[in-house]
């Protein structure tokens, strides 16, 4: 196997004295994990910071072997996170969820757009909205996304105001009102493609996604939910 791609660093750990195991979320090959020989030195270490956009040249003599990587920095996006604790927390969540949820060497297709949007638009006032959309479409990519097309109880497409925690489907106002305290709020800003929603709307979406990620993915696959992601919605108050 031999290929060239580009993507965002999501994990880096020491291997032996001077080498690294690097994980990159790539445009064409999805999550790529590989060995970087002699990666630990003053010249190269800054390249491997989470969030950086890098070019990788990957190869292995046998397909079952771990890939070897030659890495070149394209854009040091990591610096855009360093002066803001909330952005750093979101970056940690982005990396942890991507690393835990995504399979290796599976193309991300349209989902990669939301990966790029979060990192590239981190300096925008509504950066947390772009992060929440990354998580929303992560659910969809994993095959456990929300069905917001019509009411689960009546089939209507009108007055959709809730999401059922049991079915992950939309529920209209009339059918959901008796159970509103047990329902999630319908994410209108996602459906309407409004990139400047109210903070409370973003917080509601993040809380809902946390619930469904735990229930429909992490629990099913017997995986530990990333601690850094718990209660992420609280940072919305600071943005």
């Amino acid at each position: 196997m031999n290929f060239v791609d580009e993507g965002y660093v999501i994990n880096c750990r020491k291997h032996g004295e001077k080498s690294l195991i690097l994980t990159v979320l790539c445009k064409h090959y999805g999550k790529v994990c590989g060995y970087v020989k002699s990666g630990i030195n003053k010249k190269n270490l800054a390249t491997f910071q989470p969030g950086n956009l890098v070019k990788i040249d990957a190869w292995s003599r046998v397909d079952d072997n771990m890939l070897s990587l030659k890495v070149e920095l394209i854009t040091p996006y990591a610096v855009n996170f360093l002066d803001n604790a909330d952005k750093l927390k979101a970056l940690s969540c982005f990396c942890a969820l991507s690393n835990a949820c995504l399979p290796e060497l599976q193309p991300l297709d349209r989902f990669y757009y939301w990966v790029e949007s979060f990192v590239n638009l981190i300096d925008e006032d509504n950066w947390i909205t772009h992060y929440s959309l990354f998580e929303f479409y992560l659910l969809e990519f994993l095959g456990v996304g929300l069905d917001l097309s019509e009411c689960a109880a009546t089939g209507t497409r009108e007055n959709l105001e809730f999401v059922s925690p049991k079915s992950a489907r939309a529920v209209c106002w009339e059918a959901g009102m008796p159970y509103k305290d047990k329902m999630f709020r319908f994410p209108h800003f996602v459906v309407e493609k409004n990139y400047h929603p109210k903070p409370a709307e973003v917080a509601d979406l993040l809380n809902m996604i946390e619930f469904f990620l735990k229930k429909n993915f992490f629990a099913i696959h017997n995986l530990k939910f990333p601690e850094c992601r718990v209660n992420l919605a609280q940072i919305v108050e600071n943005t």
Side-chain angles (χ1 to χ4, degrees):
M1 176 179 287
N2 193 338
F3 64 86
V4 175
D5 206 344
E6 66 177 50
Y8 301 93
V9 175
I10 60 171
N11 190 264
C12 180
R13 66 182 189 274
K14 186 177 179 181
H15 182 80
E17 289 284 330
K18 298 180 179 180
S19 299
L20 299 169
I21 303 297
L22 186 72
T23 307
V24 182
L25 203 56
C26 289
K27 186 172 186 178
H28 301 293
Y29 285 84
K31 189 175 76 172
V32 177
C33 185
Y35 174 77
V36 183
K37 185 177 180 180
S38 302
I40 300 178
N41 59 63
K42 292 182 179 179
K43 180 180 179 180
N44 295 331
L45 200 56
T47 298
F48 308 119
Q49 297 301 308
N52 278 349
L53 181 65
V54 297
K55 175 185 176 183
I56 62 168
D57 189 338
W59 73 94
S60 67
R61 293 182 180 178
V62 181
D63 287 349
D64 291 339
N65 287 354
M66 175 174 281
L67 292 165
S68 294
L69 302 179
K70 181 180 179 181
V71 184
E72 178 184 339
L73 180 64
I74 298 176
T75 308
Y77 283 118
V79 299
N80 297 334
F81 295 84
L82 298 179
D83 62 349
N84 186 301
D86 291 334
K87 292 180 180 180
L88 273 175
K89 181 175 176 65
L91 177 62
S92 295
C93 297
F94 165 81
C95 292
L97 289 174
S98 297
N99 203 35
C101 297
L102 297 175
E104 290 190 37
L105 300 178
Q106 178 176 320
L108 302 182
D109 299 324
R110 292 180 299 174
F111 175 58
Y112 192 76
Y113 170 83
W114 302 103
V115 172
E116 290 183 303
S117 294
F118 166 60
V119 179
N120 295 357
L121 300 176
I122 195 63
D123 287 331
E124 300 294 322
D125 292 341
N126 63 338
W127 66 267
I128 190 62
T129 301
H130 295 287
Y131 176 80
S132 72
L133 291 171
F134 157 76
E135 285 199 1
F136 178 84
Y137 289 103
L138 174 63
L139 277 178
E140 180 180 86
F141 181 82
L142 296 174
V144 293
L146 310 180
D147 182 353
L148 306 178
S149 60
E150 63 182 27
C151 176
T154 67
T156 183
R157 296 175 180 269
E158 303 295 329
N159 299 322
L160 302 177
E161 293 296 337
F162 306 102
V163 176
S164 167
K166 292 184 178 181
S167 66
R169 296 182 61 190
V171 179
C172 69
W173 177 267
E174 293 78 10
M177 272 302 291
Y179 314 99
K180 65 177 183 178
D181 294 335
K182 298 180 180 180
M183 296 277 193
F184 292 108
R185 295 182 182 179
F186 187 89
H188 288 283
F189 78 93
V190 176
V191 176
E192 297 168 1
K193 302 187 184 306
N194 171 19
Y195 295 103
H196 292 85
K198 296 178 180 178
E201 294 179 87
V202 179
D204 286 341
L205 180 63
L206 289 173
N207 284 328
M208 178 167 57
I209 291 172
E210 179 177 339
F211 174 85
F212 286 117
L213 274 175
K214 287 178 177 178
K215 175 188 175 185
N216 294 339
F217 186 83
F218 283 86
I220 290 175
H221 294 281
N222 198 27
L223 296 173
K224 183 179 179 181
F225 191 73
E227 292 184 6
C228 63
R229 175 56 181 83
V230 177
N231 298 323
L232 179 66
Q234 292 179 354
I235 74 172
V236 178
E237 299 174 0
N238 301 326
T239 59

